[in-house]
Amino acid sequence: MPKSQRLIQMMMFINAKKTFTVQELADEFGLSTRTVTRDLQELSELGVPVYSVQGRGGGYRLLQERLLPPIAFTESEAVSLFIAGQSLKPLGALPFEEGTDAALRKFYHYLPQDIRERIDRLKDRVAIWSPRRDMSAEVLKILLQAIMASSAVTIQYASARAARPRDIQPIGLYESDGYWYCPAYCFREEDYRLFRADRIRSAVLNPSLAIRDDVALRTLQDPPDGGGSEPIFFTLELTRQGVHELRSDRWFGSAIVPKTDGSDGGFATIPISPNHIGFYVDLAWRLGAHATIVEPEEAIELFRAKLKSVQSLYT
């Protein structure tokens, strides 16, 4: 039996038994105890959560973490998973960084040699670039855990004035332009807010705080204001290049319409929460001369204030 196949079958045996001895594995697979010990060491290095139990009646035990059964992949599926994993590398932080690396190592280890060689040729030749931003992977991990467990989180959030505690119920996590964002219900404001993860200084689960069932049902596909505030309309006039830049944007992409006078460019209008005006003004700022804010007036004034602040640095 090939070693890779033996290790997979050993993983299945361990997953079913939970507790076992080296001799039991040796009898099951017809191996020497020395070979079994080496295999267990290799499985441990690959991330299989086994540990030794000392003393009388000792042996090995599987940590309380389920192992998934082996899954067969076609060559194209294997390449797709490798590229998906590699595409996360440029991001400054991930909520599951260790898990991603471990999964890719296991996945790569059990691929046939010829497919590994083909994947090796793709390294540093296929990439999905994202700007690298510095932020806490631990904060992202806590937010992800809160979403999976339907739990509230207490965070220290840094605004322009100071870092203040907030109790929030996260709806989801998404990455845009290298930044991670967390739309959430804020218990202090009794409304929905959009939090930028790099501004969260610390985060801890707060299971003692009762969550809202209506918030737990929401997803990233729902409007970001959650219906908690009366929406206003944010409109941009775009040059041809601006249309090109925003075509792939999560919110504006489907809202772009061409100008009716036949000239290049277009308009994009979306409903937003008044609480999120600053976020969309920053987006227009990044587009420079390729986007002009048409409405609301509050957004135009905020853009002018940003422009005045920058001009003062060069006068």
Side-chain angles (χ1 to χ4, degrees):
M1 178 189 301
K3 182 179 180 180
S4 59
Q5 185 178 348
R6 184 178 78 239
L7 291 177
I8 290 175
Q9 291 190 8
M10 194 173 290
M11 286 172 59
M12 296 174 67
F13 178 87
I14 292 171
N15 200 33
K17 290 280 290 184
K18 305 301 182 185
T19 60
F20 57 93
T21 65
V22 170
Q23 190 60 55
E24 286 177 329
L25 281 179
D27 295 341
E28 176 71 20
F29 294 96
L31 301 170
S32 68
T33 55
R34 179 175 295 182
T35 299
V36 168
T37 301
R38 285 200 302 265
D39 285 351
L40 286 174
Q41 178 65 31
E42 186 165 351
L43 287 175
S44 178
E45 291 172 354
L46 289 171
V48 178
V50 295
Y51 69 99
S52 61
V53 180
Q54 303 298 322
R56 185 176 179 180
Y60 284 85
R61 181 169 296 175
L62 181 68
L63 290 176
Q64 297 303 310
E65 183 174 338
R66 288 183 299 174
L67 295 173
L68 298 178
I71 303 173
F73 293 100
T74 65
E75 179 177 346
S76 61
E77 290 169 342
V79 172
S80 297
L81 287 174
F82 175 79
I83 292 176
Q86 290 295 106
S87 69
L88 300 173
K89 294 292 186 181
L91 295 176
L94 294 171
F96 37 73
E97 189 162 13
E98 293 180 0
T100 303
D101 290 339
L104 283 177
R105 286 196 302 270
K106 293 179 186 178
F107 177 69
Y108 182 82
H109 179 81
Y110 291 113
L111 289 176
Q113 181 63 32
D114 61 323
I115 296 182
R116 276 191 287 182
E117 291 174 355
R118 295 183 187 186
I119 286 180
D120 286 342
R121 297 189 192 106
L122 294 176
K123 290 180 180 178
D124 298 324
R125 290 182 171 87
V126 177
I128 300 175
W129 295 114
S130 294
R132 187 174 181 85
R133 316 288 189 184
D134 291 329
M135 62 192 73
S136 169
E138 183 62 25
V139 164
L140 294 177
K141 182 178 178 180
I142 295 296
L143 295 175
L144 188 67
Q145 289 175 347
I147 295 166
M148 292 190 294
S150 293
S151 173
V153 182
T154 297
I155 64 173
Q156 286 287 335
Y157 192 71
S159 63
R161 298 175 182 175
R164 291 192 173 92
R166 298 278 192 98
D167 291 324
I168 65 172
Q169 182 177 339
I171 295 171
L173 275 174
Y174 69 87
E175 179 274 336
S176 179
D177 197 31
Y179 290 110
W180 284 95
Y181 294 91
C182 179
Y185 180 81
C186 178
F187 288 93
R188 189 187 75 178
E189 302 295 333
E190 297 184 343
D191 202 355
Y192 291 86
R193 293 289 188 270
L194 185 63
F195 297 94
R196 217 172 78 181
D198 62 304
R199 294 177 179 171
I200 299 177
R201 299 293 180 252
S202 65
V204 293
L205 295 177
N206 188 351
S208 64
L209 185 61
I211 64 170
R212 290 180 40 149
D213 292 337
D214 58 324
V215 177
L217 293 174
R218 298 188 64 79
T219 71
L220 295 179
Q221 303 304 317
D222 296 309
D225 59 27
S229 305
E230 187 67 27
I232 59 176
F233 290 98
F234 188 91
T235 300
L236 292 175
E237 181 178 1
L238 303 167
T239 66
R240 182 178 180 180
Q241 181 63 27
V243 170
H244 174 75
E245 294 285 344
L246 274 189
R247 185 66 72 186
S248 60
D249 183 79
R250 170 69 178 85
W251 303 110
F252 281 98
S254 60
I256 297 174
V257 295
K259 292 183 177 180
T260 56
D261 60 5
S263 60
D264 289 340
F267 291 91
T269 299
I270 64 170
I272 69 168
S273 166
N275 301 315
H276 298 161
I277 287 180
F279 172 82
Y280 292 100
V281 168
D282 287 344
L283 184 147
W285 181 268
R286 291 197 298 270
L287 292 172
H290 299 296
T292 303
I293 300 174
V294 178
E295 60 174 349
E297 186 62 32
E298 182 180 351
I300 297 174
E301 290 302 318
L302 184 56
F303 192 96
R304 286 172 177 161
K306 286 171 67 70
L307 183 61
K308 185 177 180 180
S309 176
V310 172
Q311 284 179 324
S312 67
L313 300 175
Y314 297 92
T315 56

